[in-house]
Amino acid sequence: MNTISLLKKPFGGKTGATIVLSTFLLTACAMAPETPPAALEVREKLTELQRNPEMARNARIELRDAEAAVELAEQPLDNDETALSDHRVYMADRMVEIARATGTTRQMEVERERMGEQRDAARLAARTREADAARADADSARSSEVAAAAMSAKEAEEMQRQIDELEAEATERGLVLTLGDVLFATGSAELQGGSNRNLEKLVDFLNKYPEKGVLIEGHTDNIGSAQFNQNLSLQRAESVRRYLIDHGVQSRRLNVSGLGLERPVASNESATGRQQNRRVEVIIEN
Amino acid sequence: MKYFSATFLNHRIPLLCTLALTSFLVACASAPLPPTDSLNAARDAIARAEQADARQYAGAELEEARAKLVMAEKAVAEEAMTEADRMAQQARVAAKLAVARTEAAKAAEINREMGRGADALDVEMDRQGEQK
């Protein structure tokens, strides 16, 4: 109004009135057509989608079409054109929704690809694992063979060492260990007390190789009757057997025989020969 | 006014008749043409939606498209061609939305299925892993 009163002076009454009138008219023109409120709501939905980077990437064309439709819906229309306004808003709204659905679909396809890759990776990992396992199996099989071979070589070596330790003699019947008569008191079948190295070594050996059967044979010289010597030899063999059983060797592995004076290993003419003939032989089967 | 009209009518009847006839003819020629393109486009879009199994996945959208097409056809019968054109366009866009939502629903279904498959595979592989 200030402007108008200022303008009024230089132009005079008539011109001033015209300006006032035209100002009113212009204001009326500017006021009447306005953006439909429903279009603003659609714009809001569209903006939300456009700000979502995945949507913007996945539904580029659909969003562009929706943008055009929303811009059209936003155009101010006169009050008597509500039908057109409603139509434009409807179109814009559905196009925004189409963009949303399309973007969602593409997003899922991207995800699916990722899932597929993951699955492939998982499959590959599984296959790799299987292959590794198979290789490991093969490796371990090979190494166990090698180990077994090494073991048997080592075992054989160890056994030889044990045999050497026993001071046993390898014969056709097996390992023959000769226990001299020093073990027994003269005329007695009882083992001498105290520790006996040879018997201890024998126990160790038999316990180490529990599958081997053992024959224990008693022998004597020719002093005294054959019957006496046979009994004595058997009793001495029995004594050794009992000793072995007492030290953990299973009785069923042990066979005993008394051979008396039948198998001398040396001449009974000399004392040394007779001493050699008084013996218990332990035969360990091969 | 009355006097003017009377004199006008009295003196210019042939001219007036010509004018009236011309405008009538023009009106007849322009206004009542049905929006064939829009209607065809709408029908095509609905057919595509039906082929895409929209009935199953986006039934509401498909129904809306059909309803809009019915309104468009009704408007054509009433010779309200502008309305008919708008309704046909709306029917088309509604059918396209039905297709878009159907595709989204199918994609989601496939992904769920794949997820289950992947889970099963994981379980299977875990089982194999444990056996090793």
Side-chain angles (χ1 to χ4, degrees):
Chain A
M1 275 302 148
N2 256 342
T3 329
I4 289 161
S5 50
L6 278 173
L7 287 167
K8 228 177 180 178
K9 271 183 185 169
F11 292 105
K14 214 176 176 182
T15 327
T18 316
I19 289 169
V20 169
L21 190 65
S22 52
T23 311
F24 268 119
L25 279 172
L26 281 171
T27 316
C29 275
M31 290 279 284
E34 58 181 15
T35 301
L40 298 177
E41 284 172 32
V42 179
R43 165 62 70 188
E44 221 167 284
K45 284 206 292 185
L46 178 60
T47 306
E48 189 199 317
L49 293 187
Q50 285 166 334
R51 281 184 185 156
N52 180 337
E54 284 170 350
M55 277 288 167
R57 192 170 52 243
N58 292 328
R60 193 187 306 280
I61 293 166
E62 288 78 6
L63 281 174
R64 202 188 54 207
D65 292 349
E67 172 68 39
V70 171
E71 276 171 15
L72 188 64
E74 279 171 337
Q75 277 184 12
L77 286 173
D78 287 337
N79 286 330
D80 58 350
E81 292 197 278
T82 48
L84 179 58
S85 152
D86 287 352
H87 169 65
R88 285 177 176 174
V89 167
Y90 181 91
M91 296 296 284
D93 181 73
R94 292 308 186 272
M95 287 173 86
V96 169
E97 290 305 323
I98 287 169
R100 189 200 302 280
T102 307
T104 308
T105 305
R106 304 254 164 82
Q107 182 57 34
M108 293 202 182
E109 284 164 358
V110 170
E111 218 164 279
R112 195 180 306 156
E113 211 164 289
R114 194 175 48 74
M115 283 168 81
E117 278 165 13
Q118 273 181 354
R119 184 146 66 168
D120 287 349
R123 281 213 177 100
L124 186 64
R127 269 203 294 272
T128 309
R129 209 150 55 212
E130 273 172 37
D132 284 352
R135 193 158 50 234
D137 282 354
D139 284 353
S140 71
R142 195 155 47 238
S143 68
S144 68
E145 266 171 38
V146 170
M151 188 65 87
S152 60
K154 207 175 155 195
E155 268 172 8
E157 196 178 304
E158 170 68 11
M159 189 160 154
Q160 192 52 54
R161 205 182 57 74
Q162 296 277 343
I163 291 165
D164 292 348
E165 184 90 343
L166 270 182
E167 292 165 19
E169 192 186 340
T171 69
E172 280 173 15
R173 301 165 68 199
L175 291 170
V176 178
L177 174 66
T178 304
L179 301 169
D181 75 333
V182 286
L183 284 176
F184 303 94
T186 308
S188 167
E190 295 299 310
L191 285 167
Q192 302 271 32
S195 69
N196 185 289
R197 271 303 288 150
N198 281 338
L199 279 173
E200 281 169 16
K201 282 191 284 187
L202 179 64
V203 168
D204 283 350
F205 186 88
L206 292 179
N207 284 338
K208 202 158 253 170
Y209 303 99
E211 73 283 1
K212 290 184 186 295
V214 179
L215 177 61
I216 303 164
E217 290 178 351
H219 299 273
T220 60
D221 56 21
N222 63 350
I223 306 298
S225 72
Q227 186 62 45
F228 169 81
N229 280 315
Q230 205 272 324
N231 279 338
L232 184 64
S233 66
L234 185 62
Q235 281 163 10
R236 285 184 167 178
E238 278 288 347
S239 289
V240 173
R241 178 172 178 264
R242 209 170 305 116
Y243 178 93
L244 293 179
I245 290 168
D246 288 348
H247 288 79
V249 180
Q250 285 181 313
S251 59
R252 61 181 170 80
R253 296 169 62 192
L254 306 172
N255 288 304
V256 179
S257 64
L259 296 172
L261 46 74
E262 289 172 18
R263 288 193 200 164
V265 288
S267 165
N268 280 315
E269 299 303 309
S270 68
T272 319
R274 284 196 296 276
Q275 194 187 4
Q276 282 177 14
N277 288 335
R278 295 194 296 270
R279 65 196 194 278
V280 172
E281 285 180 354
V282 178
I283 300 113
I284 302 163
E285 69 182 23
N286 285 322
Chain B
M1 210 52 167
K2 227 177 181 180
Y3 169 75
F4 170 76
S5 297
T7 20
F8 182 79
L9 281 171
N10 283 338
H11 291 86
R12 318 273 168 129
I13 280 176
L15 177 65
L16 203 72
C17 280
T18 315
L19 267 173
L21 190 68
T22 311
S23 57
F24 177 74
L25 281 173
V26 169
C28 266
S30 66
L33 269 182
T36 318
D37 288 352
S38 297
L39 288 165
N40 286 340
R43 289 186 189 114
D44 283 356
I46 289 170
R48 265 198 299 277
E50 282 167 348
Q51 278 168 10
D53 284 337
R55 193 194 303 275
Q56 188 185 337
Y57 293 95
E61 290 81 355
L62 182 62
E63 274 316 302
E64 190 172 304
R66 283 187 184 135
K68 294 282 183 187
L69 182 61
V70 168
M71 285 161 81
E73 283 162 349
K74 207 175 139 221
V76 170
E78 289 166 359
E79 295 192 355
M81 298 311 176
T82 308
E83 173 72 0
D85 186 40
R86 286 173 190 167
M87 285 305 122
Q89 284 183 37
Q90 291 186 11
R92 179 180 53 84
V93 85
K96 285 178 89 171
L97 178 58
V99 171
R101 287 202 170 144
T102 296
E103 281 171 357
K106 281 180 180 173
E109 207 172 66
I110 292 168
N111 282 22
R112 269 198 305 279
E113 210 52 50
M114 257 184 99
R116 267 200 289 278
D119 286 349
L121 188 70
D122 284 348
V123 169
E124 173 71 9
M125 285 186 313
D126 283 353
R127 208 175 55 73
Q128 281 182 355
E130 277 161 18
Q131 278 180 343
K132 295 290 170 189

